[in-house]
Amino acid sequence: MAGLIRTVKATSKTIHEPPDLIDRLRTQVPFIMAMWHGQFMMLSDLNTREYDVTAMVARHGDAEVMAHVLGHFGINAIRGAGAGRRRKNRGGVYALRAAHRALDSGTIVAMTADVPSSMPRVAGDGIVTLARLSGRPIIPIAAATSRHLVLNTWSKLTVNLPFSTLAVVAADPIFVPAGATAGELEQTRLAVEKSLNNVTARAYELARSPKSLRNRNRTQHRSDTGNNLHV
């Protein structure tokens, strides 16, 4: 899997949105990198050469494989996940505390926003709680490739393939005040969910037809510039 990730990256044309995505991420370190389950494969090697990165990984067998893969990219694993609909203790409290300590030490924390096997593409409370406790921003990020396989799993696990267009899209940082009320936390949770859906859709849009989209963006930019000059 680690070899496949490296091969996809080496053989694909990469598009970042915004174009200065990496520079923008640098200004927010340490931050909470938010992603959806099943869509994280090509985020493993985003900026681990510059900064310490740790990822929250569940304790079940499949997650053990993922933790091993992440180790190839220098990413440490915090083992634990939210309780999910079964309300079973899966080490979520331990993971939250460990992630808080990691952020305090300057380490980027990567985590999926949705709770495993509970409600895919619905953000849980854990990520906004971590942002409130740590004071660090949540940055929703998505990566997509023009060539990929979608497995028949609850998360629609996506396996990215070589010789693709690889699009990586990041949203603006989302901060949670330390004194946020329950209502404000819910509003932020919804904002994270909406932002993740938006960047995921945009990444697939760019990966599918980058040339036509760039042309459309240039046309829109010229139109906007012309309007501004006219005004």
Side-chain angles (χ1 to χ4, degrees), residues 33 48 53 55 66 73 87 98 109 123 139 151 158 164 166 168 171 181 198 208 222 226:
M33 183 190 298
T48 55
V53 180
M66 193 62 208
F73 297 97
R87 301 299 176 187
V109 172
I139 303 183
L151 304 186
T158 299
S164 293
L166 167 62
V168 183
T181 64
N198 287 342
R208 282 193 296 266
R222 287 196 296 269

Side-chain angles (χ1 to χ4, degrees), residues 29-206:
V29 173
F31 58 87
I32 303 164
M33 183 190 298
M35 64 201 78
W36 286 137
H37 267 92
Q39 303 295 313
F40 46 70
M41 179 173 156
M42 294 312 299
L43 296 175
S44 302
D45 195 28
L46 185 60
N47 58 357
T48 55
R49 291 183 179 86
E50 291 186 66
Y51 303 104
D52 290 333
V53 180
T54 191
M56 292 182 67
V57 180
R59 292 177 172 177
H60 55 72
D62 291 345
E64 184 65 37
V65 175
M66 193 62 208
H68 187 67
V69 172
L70 293 174
H72 283 270
F73 297 97
I75 300 175
N76 295 317
I78 296 173
R79 305 309 300 270
R85 61 189 173 191
R86 296 181 181 179
R87 301 299 176 187
K88 182 180 179 181
N89 180 9
R90 298 190 297 177
V93 174
Y94 162 80
L96 182 66
R97 290 172 177 168
H100 190 185
R101 289 194 297 269
L103 289 165
D104 281 347
S105 70
T107 298
I108 296 169
V109 172
M111 63 183 294
T112 50
D114 45 348
V115 179
S117 68
S118 178
M119 290 180 287
R121 306 298 173 90
V122 174
D125 296 328
I127 193 165
V128 293
T129 300
L130 177 60
R132 179 181 65 80
L133 293 173
S134 66
R136 302 310 306 158
I138 300 167
I139 303 183
I141 301 180
T145 51
S146 52
R147 302 180 66 249
H148 58 268
L149 300 174
V150 180
L151 304 186
N152 186 26
T153 63
W154 71 271
S155 65
K156 304 298 181 185
L157 178 64
T158 299
V159 179
N160 304 101
L161 299 176
F163 304 103
S164 293
T165 295
L166 167 62
V168 183
V169 181
D172 291 334
I174 298 173
F175 289 86
V176 183
T181 64
E184 290 170 336
L185 285 174
E186 174 61 11
Q187 289 179 355
T188 306
R189 185 194 68 77
L190 291 172
V192 170
E193 187 175 298
K194 180 179 180 180
S195 185
L196 264 175
N197 282 331
N198 287 342
V199 294
T200 301
R202 179 59 174 165
Y204 278 99
E205 185 182 22
L206 283 171

